[in-house]
Amino acid sequence: MSERLTPLVREILQDGEEDWVMVDSVVAYAWEHAEASGTAPEDVTKQFLTTLLGEDLMEIGDLAEEGFRPWDLPPLEAVDRCLADLESYDWEPRGALSWLSITEKGRRHLRELAGN
């Protein structure tokens, strides 16, 4: 994981400990970080999602009546789908798109980060 993404990962995993996380939160954290670092916000969002999903820290899916339903896609395809969805909403989904759920690996990683 990129060291510059560590604070973002910590924040989103902490959010995920409480409840499912709207993809809006990922975008907000990434765009805030992009402004501070002078990086393109879309690039930070992609790197952030790739880290979260690719390292199995979180899974992405939809909310239904029965709760969270993960997408049945490999991580990189899920990232591409999510980015296409965000683009179609001009990067302002307002709760209309995907959600993230922390994994057991994500919980362990959060505990490791807390120990540092």
Side-chain angles (χ1 to χ4, degrees):
M1 170 187 332
S2 166
E3 197 169 306
R4 69 185 181 93
L5 288 179
T6 300
L8 300 177
V9 169
R10 179 182 296 121
E11 286 185 59
I12 207 78
L13 292 177
Q14 287 171 336
D15 292 351
E17 282 274 280
E18 301 296 320
D19 203 351
W20 298 303
V21 178
M22 290 187 299
V23 75
D24 305 52
S25 296
V26 172
V27 172
Y29 287 141
W31 287 55
E32 186 176 300
H33 179 77
E35 282 183 17
S37 68
T39 309
E42 296 87 354
D43 292 342
V44 176
T45 303
K46 182 176 183 174
Q47 292 168 358
F48 192 17
L49 284 168
T50 300
T51 297
L52 293 171
L53 303 179
E55 295 188 21
D56 192 33
L57 302 175
M58 299 191 93
E59 56 186 350
I60 194 165
D62 300 304
L63 285 187
E65 284 186 31
E66 66 274 7
F68 181 79
R69 273 194 336 227
W71 292 349
D72 188 22
L73 294 172
L76 293 180
E77 286 181 34
V79 170
D80 288 343
R81 176 180 166 183
C82 183
L83 293 173
D85 289 347
L86 287 167
E87 183 68 32
S88 74
Y89 275 76
D90 292 326
W91 294 89
E92 295 184 26
R94 297 191 177 109
L97 295 176
S98 51
W99 293 72
L100 294 117
S101 178
I102 192 168
T103 63
E104 285 307 312
K105 184 175 179 183
R107 283 184 174 84
R108 287 192 306 273
H109 187 70
L110 184 58
R111 288 191 297 273
E112 291 170 11
L113 289 173
N116 289 339

